């Protein structure tokens, strides 16, 4: 669905049908997925500018325009990127796209299995956790039900990070000032409830607590569209998802 909403071609009729319903029920859905993707680009570039050259992208998705390794390798050709996803289709497309690229790996794993992810040869042999690593959990943690305790999953990855590392999170939320936006977010959630990936919306306060001892860089945890937007002048419209970049000090 996400690939289709982004204008990609790696999707099935069933994805397209439900994504079209999401667009009908929740106007702004296409703008929202592009805002998620733009947040990814801006935060990854921020990490590269901060000197981070190792990336663990959890829930990386079907490769589409502006993948993490494309953004990273342009400015840091020596960098390493490990993609992880639990969807076989996303993993197969990523492997196809990357071919023999030795600076990038693809791992088929569930991000909730922290020990399994970190001990996978495709992660362990590519990334050196004795040096700074950026862990990306973008537009993925809202697929984890409360029973999976996503806060403890975030904390478990955090424990493996050295100073100078970063954690970047983005997550859907209807905890917004604008009631009309909140309703649009909930309408989108109702459509996803019919898919294999229902979503859970969480409050800004709860998401802030996941950053625990990390130092949130400015502007803190804000709507992803408003995190250091490229555009000057008018403020971009909020989409109903919070994003932040926390540094390990
Ligand atoms: C909406 S896409 C986000 C893709 C990318 N992170 C981005 O921000 O553009 C969410 C991805 O997370 C993956 N995902 C969901 N739950 C997961 C889990 N428990 N472990 C690994 N991947 C997961 C899905 O398969 C999907 O590819």
């Amino acid at each position: 669905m996400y690939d289709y909403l982004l204008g990609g071609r790696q999707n099935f009729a069933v994805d397209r049908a439900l994504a079209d319903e999401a667009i009908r029920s929740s106007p702004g859905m296409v703008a929202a997925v592009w805002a998620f993707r733009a947040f990814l680009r801006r935060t990854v570039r921020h990490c590269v500018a901060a000197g981070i050259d190792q990336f663990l992208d959890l829930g990386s998705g079907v490769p589409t325009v502006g993948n993490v390794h494309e953004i990273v390798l342009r400015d840091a050709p020596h960098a390493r990127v490990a993609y992880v996803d639990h969807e076989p289709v996303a993993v197969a497309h990523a492997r196809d796209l990357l071919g023999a690229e030795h600076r990038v790996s693809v791992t088929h794993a569930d991000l909730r299995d922290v020990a399994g992810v970190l001990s996978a040869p495709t992660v362990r042999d590519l990334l050196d956790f004795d040096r700074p690593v950026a862990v990306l959990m973008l537009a993925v943690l809202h697929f984890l039900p409360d029973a999976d305790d996503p806060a403890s999953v975030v904390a478990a990855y955090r424990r493996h990070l050295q100073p100078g590392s970063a954690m970047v999170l983005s997550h859907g939320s209807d905890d917004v000032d604008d009631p009309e936006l909140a309703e649009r977010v909930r309408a989108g959630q109702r459509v996803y409830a019919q898919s294999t990936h229902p979503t859970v919306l969480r409050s800004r306060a709860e998401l802030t607590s996941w950053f625990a001892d990390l130092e949130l860089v400015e502007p803190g945890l804000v709507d992803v569209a408003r995190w250091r937007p490229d555009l000057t002048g008018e403020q971009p419209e909020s989409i109903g998802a919070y994003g932040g970049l926390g540094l390990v000090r």
Side-chain angles (χ1 to χ4, degrees):
M1 286 173 70
Y2 191 69
D3 177 65
Y4 175 67
L5 290 166
L6 283 168
R9 288 158 173 243
Q10 326 289 354
N11 46 71
F12 297 104
V14 62
D15 306 320
R16 294 191 285 276
L18 207 51
D20 280 334
E21 189 181 332
I23 295 168
R24 274 192 302 276
S25 316
S26 179
M29 185 59 97
V30 171
V33 297
W34 279 100
F36 268 122
R37 210 60 201 167
F39 174 77
L40 174 152
R41 174 173 43 77
R42 297 194 301 273
T43 50
V44 166
R45 292 188 69 184
H46 185 95
C47 291
V48 173
I52 299 177
D53 60 5
Q54 305 189 93
F55 290 79
L56 178 62
D57 186 1
L58 301 166
S60 47
V62 174
T64 183
V65 180
N67 295 298
V68 171
H69 72 283
E70 291 159 347
I71 302 164
V72 169
L73 296 177
R74 198 166 37 224
D75 292 335
H78 60 285
R80 299 282 182 268
V81 178
Y83 289 122
V84 176
D85 205 287
H86 74 163
E87 272 282 342
V89 174
V91 169
H93 280 303
R95 287 191 177 135
D96 269 5
L97 176 86
L98 293 167
E101 172 55 75
H102 65 282
R103 296 167 294 182
V104 185
S105 72
V106 185
T107 304
H108 183 204
D110 192 311
L111 70 86
R112 291 170 292 187
D113 176 13
V114 180
V117 167
L118 297 179
S119 64
T122 35
V123 174
R124 196 190 53 210
D125 297 346
L126 192 74
L127 305 181
D128 174 3
F129 275 82
D130 291 333
R131 295 202 306 111
V133 175
V135 175
L136 313 177
M137 290 190 257
L138 300 177
V140 61
L141 293 172
H142 44 227
F143 295 113
L144 266 53
D146 287 342
D148 286 340
D149 194 3
S152 72
V153 175
V154 172
Y157 285 103
R158 156 70 186 93
R159 280 195 287 277
H160 290 272
L161 297 180
Q162 299 299 319
S165 296
M167 291 198 84
V168 191
L169 311 181
S170 64
H171 192 294
S173 177
D174 62 349
D175 177 17
V176 294
D177 291 338
D178 176 359
E180 198 255 331
L181 173 59
E183 184 41 42
R184 263 194 283 142
V185 173
R186 288 191 287 267
Q189 182 193 31
R190 285 194 289 274
V191 176
Y192 270 84
Q194 303 167 46
S195 78
T196 49
H197 286 74
T199 55
V200 180
L201 303 172
R202 296 189 168 92
S203 70
R204 182 168 183 275
E206 180 174 2
L207 298 174
T208 302
S209 74
W210 293 0
F211 285 89
D213 65 336
L214 298 174
E215 180 188 314
L216 269 170
V217 304
E218 285 298 322
L221 188 69
V222 295
D223 193 282
V224 290
R226 292 177 176 226
W227 195 94
R228 303 188 181 211
D230 296 327
L231 300 171
T232 50
E234 246 178 78
Q235 272 278 24
E237 274 196 39
S238 297
I239 63 148
Y242 288 106
L245 191 163
L247 294 174
V248 179
R249 289 299 184 200

